Amino acid sequence: MNGSSRLSAQEIADILRERIRGGELKAGDRLPTQAELAEEFGVERGTVRQALRALQDDGLLSNVSKGSPPRIAAPAPAREEPQSTMVGLAPRLTEAFSTPRVRIDAVCLTAESFMLAVGEPVRHIHEGRIRPEAIDVRIMLPSRRINLAFPVPVDGRDAGEEDPVHERWLAQRNSQARVLQHNLQALRATHGIDVHVSFRALPFTPPVKLYLLNGEEALIGYYMLTRREEEWESQTLEMYDALGSASLLFSFAKRAGRRDQAFVEESQKWFDALWETITTDLTLS
């Protein structure tokens, strides 16, 4: 392809990408060497390296090393459509609990979705279908002492004035977290599983819910605010609130490619750093 106008790295990447999609290059096949590709396209090796990096970032290449040409990667698993938290979280937790050492990290407004979803892997443990050796769960929930961004009363409240919307949220947070903690720690007595459940108090309202499963998958859901009414202690509360169980969960798994892998790794680093920064344990009372 020598000519007066040399191909760019992006154009070479596009040509190779079409060869992969068209089946000319199949999963497991080795690419030609950089020297061979440079000769074919009439460019410098540096241009070929840029093109290969673009394909690698797209998850199309595997076994990338300096010693030998990379191979065509197997197709990434088809990405599932996002599901509501109530539907999508339980099966993902069950898969995560199928490993010998389980590590779940979570950031959320309350523990409601987590509490309900963890019932499925716990049931599988009781039925003998899975048997982890250790379970380590870390959860960050908003502190009781902050002014939440949501839920909040529609009519607002002056500083120091009683806020039944906040009281309702706090009661839910505490009861749901206690049930979650009890259901997991009970596995120590019933099945001899080494279980640790710990909570930290967030100094802010999380705009999203985040679940990190064994460092291999990140599930993220965006809270969508709505105006609604709720009965609470013989009164009707009008509030702006988020229905967490209806939030759509988006999955990012390391096995799906480099971009998903980067998201999972950066999310885990963010969680770990925040956990170490916040030294206040959550009081469930």
Side-chain angles (χ1 to χ4, degrees):
M1 289 191 177
N2 292 315
S4 58
S5 178
R6 288 192 172 186
L7 295 173
S8 67
Q10 184 60 55
E11 288 171 327
I12 294 173
D14 289 340
I15 293 171
L16 295 175
R17 191 178 289 109
E18 286 304 315
R19 291 179 184 177
I20 295 171
R21 290 173 177 168
E24 184 178 343
L25 292 171
K26 300 179 177 60
D29 289 350
R30 282 199 179 278
L31 277 179
T33 65
Q34 292 183 14
E36 291 169 337
L37 290 172
E39 181 179 357
E40 176 185 354
F41 294 113
V43 296
E44 301 294 333
R45 290 194 189 184
T47 304
V48 171
R49 282 194 292 272
Q50 293 178 36
L52 297 183
R53 277 197 294 270
L55 296 177
Q56 182 180 355
D57 290 341
D58 288 343
L60 296 176
L61 300 181
S62 63
N63 298 333
V64 179
S65 66
K66 295 182 179 180
S68 59
R71 294 184 183 275
I72 307 303
R79 188 182 296 276
E80 297 178 357
E81 291 296 320
Q83 298 176 309
S84 71
T85 302
M86 195 62 69
V87 174
L89 183 56
R92 307 309 307 139
L93 283 177
T94 301
E95 181 176 334
F97 271 67
S98 300
T99 61
R101 307 192 69 82
V102 181
R103 190 182 82 233
I104 309 294
D105 295 327
V107 179
C108 39
L109 185 65
T110 72
E112 179 183 19
S113 297
F114 198 173
M115 175 198 70
L116 294 172
V118 83
E120 185 167 332
V122 168
R123 177 172 57 83
H124 283 208
I125 291 173
H126 288 310
E127 293 173 353
R129 297 165 64 180
I130 56 177
R131 180 65 184 270
E133 299 170 3
I135 300 171
D136 186 8
V137 175
R138 301 184 297 176
I139 307 171
M140 289 190 280
L141 299 169
S143 167
R144 65 184 299 158
R145 294 183 174 85
I146 67 172
N147 292 321
L148 291 170
F150 53 87
V152 292
V154 170
D155 58 2
R157 284 290 187 277
D158 295 328
E161 188 177 358
E162 288 188 4
D163 183 357
V165 171
H166 186 87
E167 292 172 4
R168 171 186 168 275
W169 164 81
L170 181 61
Q172 288 184 321
R173 186 205 72 172
N174 290 344
S175 62
Q176 292 159 2
R178 282 195 296 265
V179 170
L180 172 64
Q181 184 179 45
H182 170 77
N183 290 345
L184 288 173
Q185 289 183 337
L187 296 172
R188 183 190 299 272
T190 59
H191 293 79
I193 299 174
D194 185 18
V195 179
H196 296 274
V197 183
S198 49
F199 297 89
R200 292 277 168 88
L202 278 175
F204 59 87
T205 307
V208 300
K209 56 172 56 183
L210 175 68
Y211 304 96
L212 298 166
L213 313 182
N214 295 330
E216 294 294 327
E217 184 176 18
L219 301 171
I220 187 170
Y222 295 91
Y223 286 117
M224 302 298 292
L225 298 185
T226 184
R227 178 172 176 165
R228 68 190 189 92
E229 295 182 353
E230 187 75 30
E231 296 298 320
W232 172 255
E233 294 189 346
S234 302
Q235 58 182 316
T236 301
L237 304 180
E238 287 191 86
M239 69 187 81
Y240 295 109
D241 196 9
L243 300 178
S245 61
S247 299
L248 292 180
L249 277 184
F250 295 84
S251 171
F252 297 84
K254 282 186 175 181
R255 64 180 181 274
R258 289 176 59 85
R259 292 180 181 178
D260 278 34
Q261 178 179 345
F263 183 87
V264 174
E265 291 175 351
E266 290 304 315
S267 297
Q268 189 67 63
K269 289 179 184 177
W270 174 83
F271 184 97
D272 292 340
L274 187 58
W275 184 268
E276 293 302 321
T277 301
I278 298 172
T279 58
T280 305
D281 290 335
L282 196 73
T283 303
L284 299 177
S285 61

